[in-house]
Amino acid sequence: MADSEGSPVRMLSVGGVLQSATYTDERWDRCPFAYLRAFDHLFEAEPALSVERVLMIGGAGFAYPKQLLSDHPGVKLDVVEIDPAMVALARDHFFLDRLEQRLAAEGRGDDLRIFVEDGATFLQDGGRGFDGYDVIINDAFVGRDAVAFFASDAGIAAAKARLRPGGLLLANCVVEFTSDAMYRLFTQVQRLGDQFASVVVIDASDEQFGGADNYLVIASDGAYPFTGVIPYGEA
């Protein structure tokens, strides 16, 4: 299919649910989905927070890693993806191989590390990855459902333990058009608020490709001037 400007887009659908996408032309390292582009709000925390080490849980088609590492050469990114077949698919059809080739050619091969394992186990194993990420991004889903562990008290605590002071925890929240889905968003905000000093919600819905509303939730013990913040209770 194509976007509104006619650029060709390849979709990754798992069980009838869109999980990722890529442009197939010269924009191969751009994110077609609005919610993926919204992760760039993390850089609004600079310069107060120096973003150098990022962890992303849930790789899928590696759409955001391509854009992040293409635009920010000073960042080192770890991606945890539980499914080895998904990583292979990303290399074969969603230009992850092209990103890896670009990084190697620029002498930045170590800027992307891929861990094929369970994200919950990775978070709770202090010997894996970096100690003290500046940012952790949670985009782990099984079909339409977010992985419950990462929204639980234990999951939030595990993520916070891997952040350096003032670091950011970002989560993509998909809200279907039901009251139960909105309740889950409010519940997640409240749980994050129990462990972090600040929690903000940003609308990241996609008018073109979205079949539901997406919200970006950012939690931190720091105070940063994020744009597009929705007052709590009006999401």
Side-chain angles (χ1 to χ4, degrees), residues 43 51-54 68-69 72-77 108 111:
F43 291 103
V51 178
E52 298 177 358
R53 294 179 173 178
V54 178
L68 172 66
L69 292 173
H72 301 277
V75 171
K76 293 185 178 296
L77 174 65
R108 300 169 53 207
D111 286 2

Side-chain angles (χ1 to χ4, degrees), residues 10-232:
R10 178 178 297 148
M11 298 290 188
L12 173 60
S13 177
V14 180
V17 179
L18 292 179
Q19 296 287 350
S20 190
T22 185
Y23 290 106
T24 59
D25 56 14
E26 69 279 359
R27 301 171 65 194
W28 62 270
D29 61 356
R30 302 295 93 190
C31 292
F33 291 169
Y35 89 85
L36 291 167
R37 297 193 298 270
F39 288 143
D40 269 353
H41 279 283
L42 68 89
F43 291 103
E44 294 177 344
E46 294 183 326
L49 176 69
S50 178
V51 178
E52 298 177 358
R53 294 179 173 178
V54 178
L55 169 64
M56 186 167 189
I57 302 172
F62 283 72
Y64 187 65
K66 289 187 300 181
Q67 182 164 308
L68 172 66
L69 292 173
S70 294
D71 291 351
H72 301 277
V75 171
K76 293 185 178 296
L77 174 65
D78 288 347
V79 179
V80 181
E81 169 55 53
I82 194 170
D83 188 354
M86 190 67 71
V87 177
L89 187 71
R91 286 197 173 105
D92 292 342
H93 300 287
F94 289 84
F95 302 108
L96 172 58
D97 60 335
R98 189 176 296 182
L99 171 66
E100 292 172 322
Q101 292 164 9
R102 170 189 282 176
L103 294 176
E106 295 176 353
R108 300 169 53 207
D110 293 338
D111 286 2
L112 173 63
R113 299 192 300 177
I114 300 172
F115 297 85
V116 181
E117 59 184 88
D118 178 72
T121 301
F122 184 93
L123 272 185
Q124 295 173 96
D125 182 357
R128 305 289 283 154
F130 292 117
D131 289 326
Y133 286 100
D134 304 305
V135 179
I136 296 176
I137 301 171
N138 171 29
D139 193 26
F141 284 78
V142 178
R144 296 183 183 277
D145 298 323
V147 177
F149 171 79
F150 300 111
S152 69
D153 292 336
I156 294 168
K160 186 173 184 179
R162 301 299 297 272
L163 286 170
R164 74 177 178 89
L168 308 177
L169 175 59
L170 283 70
N172 170 39
C173 296
V174 179
V175 178
E176 303 287 347
F177 306 120
T178 66
S179 58
D180 287 347
M182 188 62 72
Y183 174 77
R184 287 195 296 271
L185 171 61
F186 291 157
T187 299
Q188 182 169 4
V189 170
Q190 290 174 335
R191 284 178 174 164
L192 288 164
D194 290 339
Q195 299 193 47
F196 287 92
S198 172
V199 183
V200 300
V201 179
I202 297 172
D203 188 356
S205 299
D206 197 318
E207 294 183 2
Q208 182 171 7
F209 297 116
D213 288 337
N214 284 80
Y215 294 95
L216 174 64
V217 180
I218 306 177
S220 178
D221 284 334
Y224 305 110
F226 297 110
T227 59
V229 172
I230 302 171
Y232 176 68

